[in-house]
Amino acid sequence: MFLDSLLTRNPELADAAADLHRRGAIPPDTYVMDLDAVEANAALLAAEAERLGLSLWFVVKQLGRNPELIRAIGRHIPRYAAIDPPEARTLHAAGAEAGNLGHLVQIPRRALPEMLAWRPETVTVYDLANARAVSDAARELGFVQDVLIRLEGAEGSVYPGQEGGVPLAGIDAFAAEAERLPGMRIAGVTAFPCVLCDPATGRPAATPNFDIALKARQALSARGHTGLKLSAPSATSMASLPLLAELGATHGEPGHSLTGTTPLHAHDLTQPEKPAYVYVTEVAHTLADGRPAVYGGGFYPRSGIKTALLPRTGARLRVQGAPAENIDYYRLLDAPSPGTGIEVGDTALLAFRTQIFVTRSTVAVVAGLASGTPRLTGLYDSQGKAVS
C-alpha cells in the first residue's frame, strides 16, 4: 500500500533497513522506524493544529507503543490518548502526559485509582456505571475528574468489538444523572470514527458520528455546560486538521499521520507527512511452483498490502492474499520471472498499513537518517519493551 510512497519519499529508510537485515542486526518480521521522520511529522502536525486553534492527543498503538518514538513525539505533542490501560502505562512510563484515557477501551474500575492519580486531562466513559466508578475513584483521591461522554455511533459505522456509548436520544437523561455525581464533571464528547478516508481517493471526510457528537455537545450546552471539548478521532492528519477546525472539533488524535501512513498518503505522494516505517522480512523457502514464502508475524488483515521488493535482485513481487482467520506464519509472493534467482534468506521490504501492537513483530528504531548518518538505537517488542 505504501511501498511506492516509501521508495519515492524516504528511500534512505529502505536502504538502511535492507542493510540492517543483510548484516544480521535485525531479524525477519521487523518494523524499522525512522525516528527523525516521526519527530518531523509530529512537529508539522503540532504547528498546524496550533495555527487552527486545535489541541492534539497523540496515539501510538500503530507504532508498537515504542518509548523512543513516544519521547520524540512528546517533544512536540505533549499529551496522549491511550487506547487501553497497557498502552496508558507504557506512555506514562515514557514520560508523556495523559490527555484522554479510556477511549477506545475504558479503564477497568480496579485500575482507576492508579490512572486517575496521573491526573489525566479527560477520561472517556461509555455509560453511567463507568461514570459512577470514575466519580467514586476521583473522590477518594480528592479531586473532580473531567470526563468525555462517548456517543453511540451511527448504525453501520461502528467497527465490531467497539460497540457502546450513550445514544444521542439519551444524552439528556445521561447528563441529568451524571450531573449529580460529585467526583466527575462533564467536559465534552467523543465518538469513533469521526473522520474516514475515501477508499477510492484517500481524501478525509466526516462520518455521521461527527454530526452526532456535534448535536450531543449542543444538547449539553443547552443544559448549561460550557467550554465543552469535542474530540474527533480517526484519520487525523495535515489534510484533515482544517476539516476538524471547520466543523467545530477541539481535539484531534493523530496516529498514522505520525508515520505518513493514512490512506491518503498511499494515493497522494505530495502529502507533507513523510513515510516513516518499513517492514522487513526474508524468504524462508520456495514452493515447488516457484512462489517464495516469506516469514510472517507482522501482517495485518486490513493492511492493503500489494507488493514486496527484494533488494538483492530488484524483483518487485505481488503479495498473495491470505484469509484473516489464518495464523500468520508465512506469506506467499507471486513466482518471479525465470532466472531471477530468488534465494532463501533474501531480504524482502514491504510497506503497508499496520497496527504493530497486535503483531508479534520486532520494532527497530533508526536515528540519523535525516543527516545521512543512520544508526540503530534500539530493538523492541510490539508492546514497547526493549529486547536484546
Side-chain angles (χ1 to χ4, degrees):
M1 183 174 182
F2 299 111
L3 192 55
D4 287 335
S5 176
L6 174 76
L7 295 174
T8 300
R9 300 203 49 213
N10 199 351
E12 298 83 6
L13 175 58
D15 292 342
D19 181 63
L20 286 169
H21 179 256
R22 279 193 297 267
R23 292 191 286 109
I26 61 173
D29 181 26
T30 294
Y31 286 94
V32 180
M33 315 295 299
D34 182 343
L35 182 68
D36 300 351
V38 170
E39 181 161 0
N41 291 339
L44 279 174
L45 290 157
E48 178 68 355
E50 183 176 16
R51 184 184 74 82
L52 294 167
L54 294 167
S55 296
L56 297 178
W57 295 322
F58 71 91
V59 179
V60 294
K61 60 189 173 74
Q62 72 289 342
L63 302 177
R65 300 167 172 173
N66 187 275
E68 287 193 62
L69 301 177
I70 289 168
R71 288 189 287 271
I73 296 163
R75 287 191 279 272
H76 306 277
I77 307 172
R79 293 184 180 270
Y80 63 80
I83 63 101
D84 63 14
E87 183 163 292
R89 292 186 180 101
T90 300
L91 285 152
H92 180 71
E97 301 174 27
N100 184 29
L101 304 182
H103 191 224
L104 301 161
V105 179
Q106 292 171 99
I107 305 171
R109 59 188 56 209
R110 293 174 184 84
L112 281 167
E114 170 199 0
M115 295 188 179
L116 294 191
W118 305 341
R119 299 305 302 266
E121 187 177 343
T122 60
V123 171
T124 295
V125 296
Y126 283 51
D127 58 17
L128 277 169
N130 279 278
R132 292 189 185 101
V134 169
S135 175
D136 291 345
R139 281 191 76 194
E140 286 291 319
L141 292 168
F143 61 86
V144 175
Q145 175 63 55
D146 281 357
V147 303
L148 297 184
I149 302 170
R150 159 69 179 253
L151 283 309
E152 182 181 68
E155 185 176 356
S157 72
V158 178
Y159 299 119
Q162 298 183 26
E163 299 87 355
V166 177
L168 179 60
I171 192 67
D172 277 305
F174 178 94
E177 292 293 325
E179 287 159 1
R180 294 156 52 184
L181 299 174
M184 58 142 282
R185 184 184 77 89
I186 295 173
V189 297
T190 189
F192 189 87
C194 288
V195 176
L196 287 176
C197 294
D198 182 277
T201 66
R203 302 304 307 182
T207 72
N209 297 333
F210 207 136
D211 188 55
I212 289 172
L214 289 167
K215 289 176 178 174
R217 184 172 64 176
Q218 185 177 24
L220 293 170
S221 295
R223 296 184 63 86
H225 295 279
T226 60
L228 292 168
K229 298 176 173 66
L230 193 165
S231 185
S234 190
T236 303
S237 66
M238 292 291 284
S240 67
L241 285 174
L243 176 67
L244 298 191
E246 178 187 347
L247 294 180
T250 62
H251 287 69
E253 301 183 15
H256 278 286
S257 58
L258 294 165
T259 50
T261 53
T262 76
L264 179 58
H265 291 85
H267 289 271
D268 182 358
L269 305 192
T270 68
Q271 286 301 301
E273 298 99 329
K274 190 174 185 179
Y277 68 73
V278 61
Y279 183 67
V280 183
T281 187
E282 70 179 58
V283 176
H285 56 275
T286 302
L287 275 62
D289 61 9
R291 288 178 293 166
V294 297
Y295 289 105
F299 292 103
Y300 176 63
R302 295 169 57 203
S303 65
I305 191 168
K306 290 181 170 59
T307 62
L309 172 67
L310 280 66
R312 186 182 65 81
T313 63
R316 182 109 173 233
L317 304 179
R318 188 180 73 88
V319 180
Q320 298 190 346
E325 61 268 23
N326 280 25
I327 296 175
D328 179 21
Y329 294 123
Y330 301 103
R331 198 66 179 265
L332 290 175
L333 311 181
D334 279 358
S337 302
T340 303
I342 303 297
E343 298 176 359
V344 168
D346 274 351
T347 303
L349 301 181
L350 304 94
F352 49 85
R353 188 171 176 86
T354 190
Q355 297 284 347
I356 294 176
F357 82 113
V358 299
T359 73
R360 59 181 188 272
S361 301
T362 300
V363 176
V365 179
V366 173
L369 279 168
S371 60
T373 55
R375 64 189 186 281
L376 179 65
T377 61
L379 290 175
Y380 302 83
D381 69 14
S382 62
Q383 304 304 311
K385 297 181 179 65
V387 298
S388 58

